[in-house]
PDB file of all heavy atoms in Angstrom:
ATOM      1  N   MET A   1      23.125  -4.803  16.873  1.00 98.00           N
ATOM      2  CA  MET A   1      24.008  -4.364  15.815  1.00 98.00           C
ATOM      3  C   MET A   1      23.145  -3.418  14.852  1.00 98.00           C
ATOM      4  O   MET A   1      22.045  -3.553  14.666  1.00 98.00           O
ATOM      5  CB  MET A   1      24.697  -5.411  14.979  1.00 98.00           C
ATOM      6  CG  MET A   1      25.713  -6.122  15.661  1.00 98.00           C
ATOM      7  SD  MET A   1      26.826  -7.132  14.546  1.00 98.00           S
ATOM      8  CE  MET A   1      27.819  -5.852  13.808  1.00 98.00           C
ATOM      9  N   LEU A   2      23.902  -2.490  14.196  1.00 98.00           N
ATOM     10  CA  LEU A   2      23.306  -1.746  13.082  1.00 98.00           C
ATOM     11  C   LEU A   2      24.339  -1.794  11.974  1.00 98.00           C
ATOM     12  O   LEU A   2      25.571  -1.694  12.055  1.00 98.00           O
ATOM     13  CB  LEU A   2      23.130  -0.262  13.521  1.00 98.00           C
ATOM     14  CG  LEU A   2      21.937   0.146  14.345  1.00 98.00           C
ATOM     15  CD1 LEU A   2      22.079   1.586  14.885  1.00 98.00           C
ATOM     16  CD2 LEU A   2      20.600  -0.094  13.622  1.00 98.00           C
ATOM     17  N   PHE A   3      23.770  -2.093  10.755  1.00 98.00           N
ATOM     18  CA  PHE A   3      24.518  -2.028   9.491  1.00 98.00           C
ATOM     19  C   PHE A   3      23.916  -0.919   8.573  1.00 98.00           C
ATOM     20  O   PHE A   3      22.710  -0.769   8.589  1.00 98.00           O
ATOM     21  CB  PHE A   3      24.503  -3.301   8.778  1.00 98.00           C
ATOM     22  CG  PHE A   3      25.232  -4.415   9.442  1.00 98.00           C
ATOM     23  CD1 PHE A   3      24.759  -5.234  10.380  1.00 98.00           C
ATOM     24  CD2 PHE A   3      26.517  -4.666   9.013  1.00 98.00           C
ATOM     25  CE1 PHE A   3      25.486  -6.278  11.053  1.00 98.00           C
ATOM     26  CE2 PHE A   3      27.331  -5.709   9.627  1.00 98.00           C
ATOM     27  CZ  PHE A   3      26.754  -6.458  10.657  1.00 98.00           C
ATOM     28  N   SER A   4      24.741  -0.275   7.844  1.00 98.00           N
ATOM     29  CA  SER A   4      24.295   0.767   7.026  1.00 98.00           C
ATOM     30  C   SER A   4      25.091   0.944   5.705  1.00 98.00           C
ATOM     31  O   SER A   4      26.308   0.860   5.734  1.00 98.00           O
ATOM     32  CB  SER A   4      24.102   2.172   7.726  1.00 98.00           C
ATOM     33  OG  SER A   4      23.877   3.191   6.746  1.00 98.00           O
ATOM     34  N   ARG A   5      24.362   1.173   4.572  1.00 97.00           N
ATOM     35  CA  ARG A   5      25.209   1.454   3.378  1.00 97.00           C
ATOM     36  C   ARG A   5      25.916   2.781   3.375  1.00 97.00           C
ATOM     37  O   ARG A   5      26.833   3.000   2.619  1.00 97.00           O
ATOM     38  CB  ARG A   5      24.346   1.412   2.127  1.00 97.00           C
ATOM     39  CG  ARG A   5      23.735   0.009   1.777  1.00 97.00           C
ATOM     40  CD  ARG A   5      23.138  -0.037   0.388  1.00 97.00           C
ATOM     41  NE  ARG A   5      22.417  -1.268   0.235  1.00 97.00           N
ATOM     42  CZ  ARG A   5      22.931  -2.516   0.001  1.00 97.00           C
ATOM     43  NH1 ARG A   5      24.285  -2.600  -0.050  1.00 97.00           N
ATOM     44  NH2 ARG A   5      22.119  -3.577  -0.169  1.00 97.00           N
ATOM     45  N   TRP A   6      25.404   3.681   4.231  1.00 97.00           N
ATOM     46  CA  TRP A   6      26.031   4.986   4.333  1.00 97.00           C
ATOM     47  C   TRP A   6      26.689   5.078   5.772  1.00 97.00           C
ATOM     48  O   TRP A   6      26.312   4.308   6.696  1.00 97.00           O
ATOM     49  CB  TRP A   6      24.918   6.043   4.356  1.00 97.00           C
ATOM     50  CG  TRP A   6      24.098   5.893   3.111  1.00 97.00           C
ATOM     51  CD1 TRP A   6      24.484   6.220   1.813  1.00 97.00           C
ATOM     52  CD2 TRP A   6      22.728   5.417   3.019  1.00 97.00           C
ATOM     53  NE1 TRP A   6      23.517   5.897   0.910  1.00 97.00           N
ATOM     54  CE2 TRP A   6      22.334   5.424   1.607  1.00 97.00           C
ATOM     55  CE3 TRP A   6      21.823   4.931   3.963  1.00 97.00           C
ATOM     56  CZ2 TRP A   6      21.164   4.961   1.211  1.00 97.00           C
ATOM     57  CZ3 TRP A   6      20.586   4.450   3.479  1.00 97.00           C
ATOM     58  CH2 TRP A   6      20.180   4.471   2.134  1.00 97.00           C
ATOM     59  N   PRO A   7      27.725   5.872   5.886  1.00 96.00           N
ATOM     60  CA  PRO A   7      28.444   5.911   7.114  1.00 96.00           C
ATOM     61  C   PRO A   7      27.592   6.133   8.320  1.00 96.00           C
ATOM     62  O   PRO A   7      26.662   6.921   8.250  1.00 96.00           O
ATOM     63  CB  PRO A   7      29.530   7.022   6.940  1.00 96.00           C
ATOM     64  CG  PRO A   7      29.631   7.059   5.365  1.00 96.00           C
ATOM     65  CD  PRO A   7      28.300   6.694   4.807  1.00 96.00           C
ATOM     66  N   ILE A   8      27.907   5.483   9.489  1.00 97.00           N
ATOM     67  CA  ILE A   8      27.176   5.769  10.725  1.00 97.00           C
ATOM     68  C   ILE A   8      28.123   6.858  11.431  1.00 97.00           C
ATOM     69  O   ILE A   8      29.121   6.566  12.038  1.00 97.00           O
ATOM     70  CB  ILE A   8      27.090   4.482  11.560  1.00 97.00           C
ATOM     71  CG1 ILE A   8      26.312   3.444  10.715  1.00 97.00           C
ATOM     72  CG2 ILE A   8      26.340   4.670  12.810  1.00 97.00           C
ATOM     73  CD1 ILE A   8      26.345   2.020  11.256  1.00 97.00           C
ATOM     74  N   ALA A   9      27.538   8.079  11.462  1.00 96.00           N
ATOM     75  CA  ALA A   9      28.411   9.161  11.995  1.00 96.00           C
ATOM     76  C   ALA A   9      28.704   9.019  13.468  1.00 96.00           C
ATOM     77  O   ALA A   9      29.829   9.433  13.954  1.00 96.00           O
ATOM     78  CB  ALA A   9      27.642  10.481  11.671  1.00 96.00           C
ATOM     79  N   SER A  10      27.753   8.546  14.209  1.00 96.00           N
ATOM     80  CA  SER A  10      27.945   8.429  15.634  1.00 96.00           C
ATOM     81  C   SER A  10      26.950   7.300  16.138  1.00 96.00           C
ATOM     82  O   SER A  10      26.021   6.938  15.508  1.00 96.00           O
ATOM     83  CB  SER A  10      27.683   9.660  16.439  1.00 96.00           C
ATOM     84  OG  SER A  10      26.241  10.042  16.322  1.00 96.00           O
ATOM     85  N   SER A  11      27.281   6.817  17.390  1.00 97.00           N
ATOM     86  CA  SER A  11      26.404   5.771  17.944  1.00 97.00           C
ATOM     87  C   SER A  11      26.522   5.866  19.453  1.00 97.00           C
ATOM     88  O   SER A  11      27.468   6.318  20.060  1.00 97.00           O
ATOM     89  CB  SER A  11      26.798   4.380  17.520  1.00 97.00           C
ATOM     90  OG  SER A  11      28.125   3.920  18.058  1.00 97.00           O
ATOM     91  N   ARG A  12      25.383   5.440  20.132  1.00 96.00           N
ATOM     92  CA  ARG A  12      25.367   5.390  21.600  1.00 96.00           C
ATOM     93  C   ARG A  12      24.651   4.054  21.897  1.00 96.00           C
ATOM     94  O   ARG A  12      23.773   3.688  21.195  1.00 96.00           O
ATOM     95  CB  ARG A  12      24.674   6.535  22.228  1.00 96.00           C
ATOM     96  CG  ARG A  12      25.377   7.914  22.086  1.00 96.00           C
ATOM     97  CD  ARG A  12      24.664   8.968  22.888  1.00 96.00           C
ATOM     98  NE  ARG A  12      23.321   9.145  22.436  1.00 96.00           N
ATOM     99  CZ  ARG A  12      22.359   9.982  23.143  1.00 96.00           C
ATOM    100  NH1 ARG A  12      22.809  10.666  24.188  1.00 96.00           N
ATOM    101  NH2 ARG A  12      21.132  10.114  22.665  1.00 96.00           N
ATOM    102  N   ASN A  13      24.924   3.516  23.054  1.00 97.00           N
ATOM    103  CA  ASN A  13      24.336   2.271  23.562  1.00 97.00           C
ATOM    104  C   ASN A  13      23.395   2.704  24.721  1.00 97.00           C
ATOM    105  O   ASN A  13      23.995   3.012  25.782  1.00 97.00           O
ATOM    106  CB  ASN A  13      25.287   1.216  23.885  1.00 97.00           C
ATOM    107  CG  ASN A  13      24.688  -0.160  23.915  1.00 97.00           C
ATOM    108  OD1 ASN A  13      23.668  -0.427  23.060  1.00 97.00           O
ATOM    109  ND2 ASN A  13      25.102  -1.087  24.699  1.00 97.00           N
ATOM    110  N   LEU A  14      22.131   2.775  24.501  1.00 97.00           N
ATOM    111  CA  LEU A  14      21.104   3.255  25.612  1.00 97.00           C
ATOM    112  C   LEU A  14      20.666   2.035  26.349  1.00 97.00           C
ATOM    113  O   LEU A  14      19.974   1.176  25.920  1.00 97.00           O
ATOM    114  CB  LEU A  14      19.993   3.994  24.951  1.00 97.00           C
ATOM    115  CG  LEU A  14      20.379   5.105  24.076  1.00 97.00           C
ATOM    116  CD1 LEU A  14      19.023   5.799  23.496  1.00 97.00           C
ATOM    117  CD2 LEU A  14      21.263   6.149  24.615  1.00 97.00           C
ATOM    118  N   LEU A  15      21.136   1.896  27.587  1.00 97.00           N
ATOM    119  CA  LEU A  15      20.665   0.805  28.485  1.00 97.00           C
ATOM    120  C   LEU A  15      19.266   1.161  28.904  1.00 97.00           C
ATOM    121  O   LEU A  15      19.032   2.184  29.347  1.00 97.00           O
ATOM    122  CB  LEU A  15      21.712   0.590  29.622  1.00 97.00           C
ATOM    123  CG  LEU A  15      23.188   0.366  29.277  1.00 97.00           C
ATOM    124  CD1 LEU A  15      23.918   0.172  30.476  1.00 97.00           C
ATOM    125  CD2 LEU A  15      23.174  -0.834  28.349  1.00 97.00           C
ATOM    126  N   LEU A  16      18.462   0.060  28.952  1.00 98.00           N
ATOM    127  CA  LEU A  16      17.126   0.241  29.283  1.00 98.00           C
ATOM    128  C   LEU A  16      16.766  -0.267  30.681  1.00 98.00           C
ATOM    129  O   LEU A  16      17.526  -1.156  31.208  1.00 98.00           O
ATOM    130  CB  LEU A  16      16.172  -0.564  28.361  1.00 98.00           C
ATOM    131  CG  LEU A  16      16.352  -0.189  26.862  1.00 98.00           C
ATOM    132  CD1 LEU A  16      15.510  -1.116  25.997  1.00 98.00           C
ATOM    133  CD2 LEU A  16      15.808   1.246  26.676  1.00 98.00           C
ATOM    134  N   PRO A  17      15.755   0.307  31.421  1.00 96.00           N
ATOM    135  CA  PRO A  17      15.532  -0.154  32.762  1.00 96.00           C
ATOM    136  C   PRO A  17      15.187  -1.650  32.895  1.00 96.00           C
ATOM    137  O   PRO A  17      14.792  -2.257  31.986  1.00 96.00           O
ATOM    138  CB  PRO A  17      14.291   0.705  33.152  1.00 96.00           C
ATOM    139  CG  PRO A  17      14.219   1.728  32.223  1.00 96.00           C
ATOM    140  CD  PRO A  17      14.812   1.304  30.914  1.00 96.00           C
ATOM    141  N   ARG A  18      15.579  -2.231  33.970  1.00 94.00           N
ATOM    142  CA  ARG A  18      15.427  -3.685  34.184  1.00 94.00           C
ATOM    143  C   ARG A  18      15.117  -3.943  35.671  1.00 94.00           C
ATOM    144  O   ARG A  18      15.277  -3.044  36.541  1.00 94.00           O
ATOM    145  CB  ARG A  18      16.611  -4.541  33.738  1.00 94.00           C
ATOM    146  CG  ARG A  18      17.862  -4.200  34.506  1.00 94.00           C
ATOM    147  CD  ARG A  18      18.974  -5.042  33.982  1.00 94.00           C
ATOM    148  NE  ARG A  18      18.739  -6.405  34.119  1.00 94.00           N
ATOM    149  CZ  ARG A  18      18.988  -7.239  35.187  1.00 94.00           C
ATOM    150  NH1 ARG A  18      19.438  -6.595  36.230  1.00 94.00           N
ATOM    151  NH2 ARG A  18      18.722  -8.482  35.235  1.00 94.00           N
ATOM    152  N   SER A  19      14.598  -5.060  35.918  1.00 92.00           N
ATOM    153  CA  SER A  19      14.310  -5.431  37.429  1.00 92.00           C
ATOM    154  C   SER A  19      14.973  -6.739  37.695  1.00 92.00           C
ATOM    155  O   SER A  19      15.300  -7.612  36.747  1.00 92.00           O
ATOM    156  CB  SER A  19      12.801  -5.663  37.600  1.00 92.00           C
ATOM    157  OG  SER A  19      12.227  -6.614  36.640  1.00 92.00           O
ATOM    158  N   ARG A  20      15.272  -6.931  38.958  1.00 92.00           N
ATOM    159  CA  ARG A  20      16.043  -8.146  39.371  1.00 92.00           C
ATOM    160  C   ARG A  20      15.074  -9.340  39.434  1.00 92.00           C
ATOM    161  O   ARG A  20      14.063  -9.279  40.054  1.00 92.00           O
ATOM    162  CB  ARG A  20      16.683  -7.867  40.739  1.00 92.00           C
ATOM    163  CG  ARG A  20      17.589  -9.016  41.215  1.00 92.00           C
ATOM    164  CD  ARG A  20      18.204  -8.495  42.548  1.00 92.00           C
ATOM    165  NE  ARG A  20      19.190  -9.554  42.970  1.00 92.00           N
ATOM    166  CZ  ARG A  20      19.780  -9.507  44.167  1.00 92.00           C
ATOM    167  NH1 ARG A  20      19.687  -8.415  44.924  1.00 92.00           N
ATOM    168  NH2 ARG A  20      20.707 -10.424  44.559  1.00 92.00           N
ATOM    169  N   THR A  21      15.537 -10.486  38.846  1.00 91.00           N
ATOM    170  CA  THR A  21      14.786 -11.642  38.969  1.00 91.00           C
ATOM    171  C   THR A  21      15.515 -12.754  39.770  1.00 91.00           C
ATOM    172  O   THR A  21      16.737 -12.674  39.833  1.00 91.00           O
ATOM    173  CB  THR A  21      14.521 -12.209  37.568  1.00 91.00           C
ATOM    174  OG1 THR A  21      15.735 -12.466  36.756  1.00 91.00           O
ATOM    175  CG2 THR A  21      13.647 -11.215  36.693  1.00 91.00           C
ATOM    176  N   TYR A  22      14.806 -13.768  40.121  1.00 92.00           N
ATOM    177  CA  TYR A  22      15.320 -14.863  40.901  1.00 92.00           C
ATOM    178  C   TYR A  22      15.083 -16.240  40.286  1.00 92.00           C
ATOM    179  O   TYR A  22      15.732 -17.246  40.488  1.00 92.00           O
ATOM    180  CB  TYR A  22      14.881 -14.862  42.306  1.00 92.00           C
ATOM    181  CG  TYR A  22      15.353 -13.697  43.176  1.00 92.00           C
ATOM    182  CD1 TYR A  22      14.693 -12.463  43.149  1.00 92.00           C
ATOM    183  CD2 TYR A  22      16.528 -13.772  43.856  1.00 92.00           C
ATOM    184  CE1 TYR A  22      15.192 -11.433  43.887  1.00 92.00           C
ATOM    185  CE2 TYR A  22      16.998 -12.690  44.622  1.00 92.00           C
ATOM    186  CZ  TYR A  22      16.336 -11.569  44.583  1.00 92.00           C
ATOM    187  OH  TYR A  22      16.829 -10.429  45.312  1.00 92.00           O
ATOM    188  N   ASP A  23      14.009 -16.288  39.409  1.00 91.00           N
ATOM    189  CA  ASP A  23      13.635 -17.644  38.948  1.00 91.00           C
ATOM    190  C   ASP A  23      13.752 -17.733  37.470  1.00 91.00           C
ATOM    191  O   ASP A  23      13.678 -18.802  36.957  1.00 91.00           O
ATOM    192  CB  ASP A  23      12.089 -17.854  39.243  1.00 91.00           C
ATOM    193  CG  ASP A  23      11.285 -16.823  38.638  1.00 91.00           C
ATOM    194  OD1 ASP A  23      11.682 -15.686  38.315  1.00 91.00           O
ATOM    195  OD2 ASP A  23      10.025 -17.175  38.420  1.00 91.00           O
ATOM    196  N   LYS A  24      14.161 -16.710  36.784  1.00 88.00           N
ATOM    197  CA  LYS A  24      14.300 -16.800  35.260  1.00 88.00           C
ATOM    198  C   LYS A  24      15.343 -15.705  34.846  1.00 88.00           C
ATOM    199  O   LYS A  24      15.354 -14.647  35.494  1.00 88.00           O
ATOM    200  CB  LYS A  24      12.965 -16.564  34.598  1.00 88.00           C
ATOM    201  CG  LYS A  24      13.076 -16.935  33.091  1.00 88.00           C
ATOM    202  CD  LYS A  24      11.679 -17.046  32.518  1.00 88.00           C
ATOM    203  CE  LYS A  24      11.707 -17.500  31.014  1.00 88.00           C
ATOM    204  NZ  LYS A  24      12.156 -18.804  30.920  1.00 88.00           N
ATOM    205  N   ALA A  25      16.195 -16.084  33.953  1.00 87.00           N
ATOM    206  CA  ALA A  25      17.239 -15.163  33.526  1.00 87.00           C
ATOM    207  C   ALA A  25      16.674 -13.920  32.917  1.00 87.00           C
ATOM    208  O   ALA A  25      15.768 -13.930  32.136  1.00 87.00           O
ATOM    209  CB  ALA A  25      18.147 -15.834  32.502  1.00 87.00           C
ATOM    210  N   ASN A  26      17.276 -12.700  33.361  1.00 90.00           N
ATOM    211  CA  ASN A  26      16.876 -11.405  32.893  1.00 90.00           C
ATOM    212  C   ASN A  26      18.116 -10.679  32.541  1.00 90.00           C
ATOM    213  O   ASN A  26      18.796 -10.109  33.401  1.00 90.00           O
ATOM    214  CB  ASN A  26      16.018 -10.636  34.010  1.00 90.00           C
ATOM    215  CG  ASN A  26      15.487  -9.378  33.423  1.00 90.00           C
ATOM    216  OD1 ASN A  26      15.591  -9.027  32.235  1.00 90.00           O
ATOM    217  ND2 ASN A  26      15.033  -8.538  34.372  1.00 90.00           N
ATOM    218  N   LEU A  27      18.347 -10.647  31.260  1.00 92.00           N
ATOM    219  CA  LEU A  27      19.586  -9.968  30.701  1.00 92.00           C
ATOM    220  C   LEU A  27      19.335  -8.542  30.527  1.00 92.00           C
ATOM    221  O   LEU A  27      18.236  -8.042  30.223  1.00 92.00           O
ATOM    222  CB  LEU A  27      20.030 -10.677  29.383  1.00 92.00           C
ATOM    223  CG  LEU A  27      20.639 -12.003  29.374  1.00 92.00           C
ATOM    224  CD1 LEU A  27      19.581 -13.099  29.748  1.00 92.00           C
ATOM    225  CD2 LEU A  27      21.254 -12.350  28.076  1.00 92.00           C
ATOM    226  N   GLN A  28      20.387  -7.650  30.750  1.00 96.00           N
ATOM    227  CA  GLN A  28      20.322  -6.334  30.524  1.00 96.00           C
ATOM    228  C   GLN A  28      19.936  -6.133  28.994  1.00 96.00           C
ATOM    229  O   GLN A  28      20.549  -6.686  28.070  1.00 96.00           O
ATOM    230  CB  GLN A  28      21.647  -5.574  30.779  1.00 96.00           C
ATOM    231  CG  GLN A  28      21.700  -4.146  30.426  1.00 96.00           C
ATOM    232  CD  GLN A  28      20.757  -3.265  31.180  1.00 96.00           C
ATOM    233  OE1 GLN A  28      20.836  -3.306  32.415  1.00 96.00           O
ATOM    234  NE2 GLN A  28      19.850  -2.532  30.550  1.00 96.00           N
ATOM    235  N   ARG A  29      19.005  -5.301  28.741  1.00 97.00           N
ATOM    236  CA  ARG A  29      18.560  -4.951  27.394  1.00 97.00           C
ATOM    237  C   ARG A  29      18.969  -3.491  26.982  1.00 97.00           C
ATOM    238  O   ARG A  29      19.198  -2.648  27.880  1.00 97.00           O
ATOM    239  CB  ARG A  29      17.053  -5.077  27.164  1.00 97.00           C
ATOM    240  CG  ARG A  29      16.492  -6.430  27.588  1.00 97.00           C
ATOM    241  CD  ARG A  29      17.225  -7.565  26.804  1.00 97.00           C
ATOM    242  NE  ARG A  29      16.829  -8.842  27.281  1.00 97.00           N
ATOM    243  CZ  ARG A  29      15.884  -9.682  26.649  1.00 97.00           C
ATOM    244  NH1 ARG A  29      15.297  -9.215  25.675  1.00 97.00           N
ATOM    245  NH2 ARG A  29      15.671 -10.862  27.256  1.00 97.00           N
ATOM    246  N   ALA A  30      19.026  -3.220  25.717  1.00 98.00           N
ATOM    247  CA  ALA A  30      19.493  -1.876  25.193  1.00 98.00           C
ATOM    248  C   ALA A  30      18.893  -1.537  23.948  1.00 98.00           C
ATOM    249  O   ALA A  30      18.270  -2.328  23.213  1.00 98.00           O
ATOM    250  CB  ALA A  30      21.005  -1.858  25.151  1.00 98.00           C
ATOM    251  N   ALA A  31      19.093  -0.206  23.578  1.00 98.00           N
ATOM    252  CA  ALA A  31      18.745   0.252  22.288  1.00 98.00           C
ATOM    253  C   ALA A  31      20.039   0.880  21.697  1.00 98.00           C
ATOM    254  O   ALA A  31      20.539   1.833  22.320  1.00 98.00           O
ATOM    255  CB  ALA A  31      17.606   1.252  22.279  1.00 98.00           C
ATOM    256  N   LEU A  32      20.552   0.335  20.594  1.00 98.00           N
ATOM    257  CA  LEU A  32      21.673   0.870  20.018  1.00 98.00           C
ATOM    258  C   LEU A  32      21.352   1.942  18.993  1.00 98.00           C
ATOM    259  O   LEU A  32      20.566   1.721  18.000  1.00 98.00           O
ATOM    260  CB  LEU A  32      22.455  -0.192  19.257  1.00 98.00           C
ATOM    261  CG  LEU A  32      23.697   0.149  18.455  1.00 98.00           C
ATOM    262  CD1 LEU A  32      24.758   0.801  19.462  1.00 98.00           C
ATOM    263  CD2 LEU A  32      24.304  -1.077  17.696  1.00 98.00           C
ATOM    264  N   GLU A  33      21.780   3.191  19.270  1.00 98.00           N
ATOM    265  CA  GLU A  33      21.411   4.402  18.392  1.00 98.00           C
ATOM    266  C   GLU A  33      22.516   4.606  17.460  1.00 98.00           C
ATOM    267  O   GLU A  33      23.749   4.568  17.747  1.00 98.00           O
ATOM    268  CB  GLU A  33      21.351   5.553  19.381  1.00 98.00           C
ATOM    269  CG  GLU A  33      21.144   6.864  18.631  1.00 98.00           C
ATOM    270  CD  GLU A  33      21.304   8.047  19.668  1.00 98.00           C
ATOM    271  OE1 GLU A  33      20.290   8.270  20.328  1.00 98.00           O
ATOM    272  OE2 GLU A  33      22.372   8.542  19.888  1.00 98.00           O
ATOM    273  N   GLY A  34      22.169   4.813  16.132  1.00 98.00           N
ATOM    274  CA  GLY A  34      23.147   5.232  15.115  1.00 98.00           C
ATOM    275  C   GLY A  34      22.604   6.469  14.341  1.00 98.00           C
ATOM    276  O   GLY A  34      21.442   6.577  13.998  1.00 98.00           O
ATOM    277  N   LEU A  35      23.462   7.454  14.198  1.00 98.00           N
ATOM    278  CA  LEU A  35      23.134   8.670  13.451  1.00 98.00           C
ATOM    279  C   LEU A  35      23.725   8.400  12.088  1.00 98.00           C
ATOM    280  O   LEU A  35      24.928   8.294  11.876  1.00 98.00           O
ATOM    281  CB  LEU A  35      23.867   9.843  14.033  1.00 98.00           C
ATOM    282  CG  LEU A  35      23.713  11.188  13.280  1.00 98.00           C
ATOM    283  CD1 LEU A  35      22.234  11.634  13.065  1.00 98.00           C
ATOM    284  CD2 LEU A  35      24.577  12.237  13.956  1.00 98.00           C
ATOM    285  N   ILE A  36      22.750   8.379  11.150  1.00 97.00           N
ATOM    286  CA  ILE A  36      23.205   8.086   9.730  1.00 97.00           C
ATOM    287  C   ILE A  36      22.691   9.152   8.768  1.00 97.00           C
ATOM    288  O   ILE A  36      21.597   9.578   8.815  1.00 97.00           O
ATOM    289  CB  ILE A  36      22.433   6.640   9.216  1.00 97.00           C
ATOM    290  CG1 ILE A  36      22.838   5.503  10.274  1.00 97.00           C
ATOM    291  CG2 ILE A  36      22.823   6.271   7.874  1.00 97.00           C
ATOM    292  CD1 ILE A  36      22.062   4.320  10.008  1.00 97.00           C
ATOM    293  N   VAL A  37      23.563   9.616   7.855  1.00 93.00           N
ATOM    294  CA  VAL A  37      23.251  10.634   6.912  1.00 93.00           C
ATOM    295  C   VAL A  37      22.760   9.951   5.665  1.00 93.00           C
ATOM    296  O   VAL A  37      23.624   9.371   4.839  1.00 93.00           O
ATOM    297  CB  VAL A  37      24.369  11.543   6.681  1.00 93.00           C
ATOM    298  CG1 VAL A  37      23.967  12.643   5.594  1.00 93.00           C
ATOM    299  CG2 VAL A  37      24.952  12.205   7.932  1.00 93.00           C
ATOM    300  N   THR A  38      21.517   9.872   5.409  1.00 94.00           N
ATOM    301  CA  THR A  38      20.816   9.056   4.306  1.00 94.00           C
ATOM    302  C   THR A  38      20.467  10.042   3.247  1.00 94.00           C
ATOM    303  O   THR A  38      20.380  11.313   3.367  1.00 94.00           O
ATOM    304  CB  THR A  38      19.694   8.260   4.902  1.00 94.00           C
ATOM    305  OG1 THR A  38      18.538   9.198   5.093  1.00 94.00           O
ATOM    306  CG2 THR A  38      20.018   7.655   6.213  1.00 94.00           C
TER     307      THR A  38
END
């Protein structure tokens, strides 16, 4: 999540590369991008 005192003009969820696992949980990770006029 992103929170801002100023409006978040736009956002994108950037999915990050991952590899398949068999012995331990590996959840998809991401970077949430927010364009904020500060």
Side-chain angles (χ1 to χ4, degrees):
M1 287 194 80
L2 283 170
F3 289 87
S4 170
R5 293 199 191 279
W6 307 286
I8 302 172
S10 68
S11 70
R12 294 188 299 175
N13 203 28
L14 307 182
L15 301 183
L16 301 176
R18 61 181 302 274
S19 54
R20 186 177 183 181
T21 59
Y22 291 89
D23 62 335
K24 195 169 183 65
N26 184 11
L27 286 68
Q28 175 67 57
R29 305 303 173 99
L32 177 61
E33 171 191 276
L35 173 62
I36 305 172
V37 182
T38 77

